[in-house]
Amino acid sequence: MNENASTGHGAAPDTASSVAPKVGFVSLGCPKALTDSELILTQLSAEGYQTSKTFEGADLVIVNTCGFIDDAVKESLDTISEALNVNGKVIVTGCLGAKEAEGGGNMVRAMHPSVLAVTGPHATQEVMDAVHAHLPKPHDPFLDLVPNAFGEAGLKLTPRHYAYLKISEGCNHRCTFCIIPSMRGDLVSRPIGDVLKEAQALFEGGVKELLVISQDTSAYGVDTQYRMGFWEGRPVKTRMLELVQTLGEMAQKHGAWVRLHYVYPYPSVDDILPLMATGLILPYLDVPLQHSHPDVLKRMKRPASGEKNLERIQKWREICPQLVRLFCLQPCQRRYCQRLARHAARGPARRTAFTLHGCG
């Protein structure tokens, strides 16, 4: 199990009675999977289950898996195997639960037919239904409070000073190298009122850094046609600009900051830069460019072209000189990638970072 795996360290302490059923929990994968785990742990605690970060002594185990790359698949399958060997009663959820085996059928079922149940990602109710079927809930959730939680935001697996805020699920792109849409589906944006309510609970609970995540943060609200929602009695569009502006205002009241992740370089992102320049939100962008060569981008079916990305980066720099940029690129010796790297890195080196992946 890698060092990024979470094993319920943020779950409620064992303050329930000794007869309360205990559920072991392991969360693997990305921050989006982590937020799914937090929802499940919150519901478990609300219903009176104890949670544990070990398999031994638990009445059953839940493993939230990742299926994005081969190493993640292996880690998830190994963890399921370990849980079965140590405990014997295992419920599997997450991205790997939605993945098909080579010969058809469910991969997890094919590899580990003795698991109690298998669900895909963002399936809190399905997981709870499986828990209820094999480990009846101890009391009425409407009569009990969730200990050690952030109110509306529920339990968190992160340290108390920061938290992830997932604003949407799925992605409308069909990039040739990515399997995320096949596991998590098309874009589904959360109602803006629900997102802001969770953010407020987190800030009021002491969170000082709010990390906004999704598969495609820039596309927030596209699926709803930017439907009008409401927050504290006033109308707010379900759109990235309005969401980020409101989060920034909320964060300032609590001496906190907001950091944006998974921001595709759409034209609409230009409107966010003035908010960064004035200090309303953190001047940081995590941009999955992947490549800069037009032909490679076309084969990848990526939005935008390398030339447009260069123009956009230059415009961002003009609006917000202090911007920190994290670009995800494929390593390539072609002049397009070299040009993008040189162009983006102009100015203080500390303001630009690159993560490199295997070149396709």
Side-chain angles (χ1 to χ4, degrees):
M1 196 179 303
N2 68 27
E3 60 183 5
N4 294 322
S6 297
T7 53
H9 63 271
D14 294 345
T15 57
S17 67
S18 59
V19 298
K22 182 181 292 186
V23 177
F25 201 100
V26 176
S27 183
L28 305 172
C30 66
K32 293 173 283 295
L34 189 74
T35 60
D36 289 347
S37 295
E38 291 168 346
L39 289 173
I40 296 169
L41 282 166
T42 296
Q43 191 60 33
L44 286 169
S45 188
E47 296 187 8
Y49 293 96
Q50 297 183 66
T51 53
S52 169
K53 50 189 175 183
T54 60
F55 302 147
E56 296 88 349
D59 295 291
L60 60 79
V61 173
I62 298 173
V63 180
N64 191 2
T65 60
C66 179
F68 186 51
I69 58 176
D70 290 344
D71 286 346
V73 171
K74 182 180 184 302
E75 181 186 28
S76 293
L77 290 172
D78 288 348
T79 303
I80 295 168
S81 179
E82 180 186 352
L84 285 169
N85 290 334
V86 175
N87 185 279
K89 297 180 179 179
V90 179
I91 294 171
V92 176
T93 187
C95 286
L96 188 62
K99 195 166 186 176
E100 289 188 359
E102 291 185 5
N106 183 273
M107 174 181 283
V108 174
R109 286 287 189 192
M111 299 292 293
H112 298 292
S114 62
V115 295
L116 300 178
V118 179
T119 81
H122 53 94
T124 301
Q125 189 54 56
E126 293 176 57
V127 172
M128 293 307 302
D129 288 344
V131 171
H132 296 157
H134 299 281
L135 191 62
K137 57 186 178 181
H139 60 71
D140 188 342
F142 295 103
L143 300 179
D144 294 88
L145 299 176
V146 181
N148 197 34
F150 285 89
E152 291 279 352
L155 291 167
K156 293 296 170 185
L157 290 170
T158 50
R160 203 166 185 84
H161 66 281
Y162 76 89
Y164 294 105
L165 179 70
K166 184 161 64 171
I167 63 173
S168 66
E169 189 60 80
C171 181
N172 285 341
H173 295 302
R174 294 297 182 265
C175 302
T176 54
F177 60 88
C178 183
I179 63 172
I180 290 295
S182 67
M183 295 187 292
R184 289 187 171 264
D186 291 333
L187 175 71
V188 178
S189 299
R190 292 178 61 196
I192 193 164
D194 292 351
V195 174
L196 293 173
K197 186 184 295 184
E198 181 177 345
Q200 179 172 268
L202 290 169
F203 287 134
E204 290 177 348
V207 166
K208 293 303 180 184
E209 181 173 357
L210 193 67
L211 298 101
V212 177
I213 60 170
S214 66
Q215 301 297 336
D216 184 356
T217 297
S218 307
Y220 176 68
V222 168
D223 56 308
T224 70
Q225 297 182 326
Y226 306 118
R227 179 186 301 128
M228 191 68 71
F230 289 89
W231 172 246
E232 294 186 335
R234 63 183 177 90
V236 184
K237 274 189 176 181
T238 305
R239 189 169 60 176
M240 183 185 180
L241 175 61
E242 284 78 1
L243 172 65
V244 171
Q245 186 167 12
T246 307
L247 288 174
E249 293 168 353
M250 195 183 298
Q252 285 191 336
K253 295 177 183 177
H254 293 87
W257 66 48
V258 176
R259 186 190 299 270
L260 303 179
H261 287 261
Y262 311 106
V263 178
Y264 280 76
Y266 303 146
S268 59
V269 178
D270 297 352
D271 297 330
I272 305 297
L273 270 295
L275 304 182
M276 296 182 174
T278 58
L280 191 64
I281 59 173
L282 206 64
Y284 171 96
L285 281 175
D286 171 9
V287 185
L289 295 178
Q290 301 296 342
H291 213 283
S292 66
H293 194 289
D295 291 342
V296 177
L297 289 169
K298 185 176 180 180
R299 292 198 298 272
M300 285 180 165
K301 294 186 178 179
R302 296 289 287 175
S305 71
E307 295 300 324
K308 290 181 181 178
N309 287 335
L310 287 173
E311 295 171 4
R312 178 136 293 114
I313 293 167
Q314 179 60 37
K315 185 174 182 180
W316 290 348
R317 182 182 294 110
E318 293 170 358
I319 298 172
C320 184
Q322 67 269 36
L323 179 67
V324 174
R325 303 166 294 273
L326 173 64
F327 300 125
C328 297
L329 293 170
Q330 307 285 339
C332 183
Q333 295 303 312
R334 292 173 179 159
R335 61 186 178 88
Y336 289 92
C337 286
Q338 293 173 337
R339 182 183 174 193
L340 176 60
R342 287 196 303 269
H343 186 92
R346 288 173 188 164
R350 68 180 181 276
R351 292 181 182 168
T352 303
F354 296 88
T355 57
L356 300 179
H357 305 281
C359 191

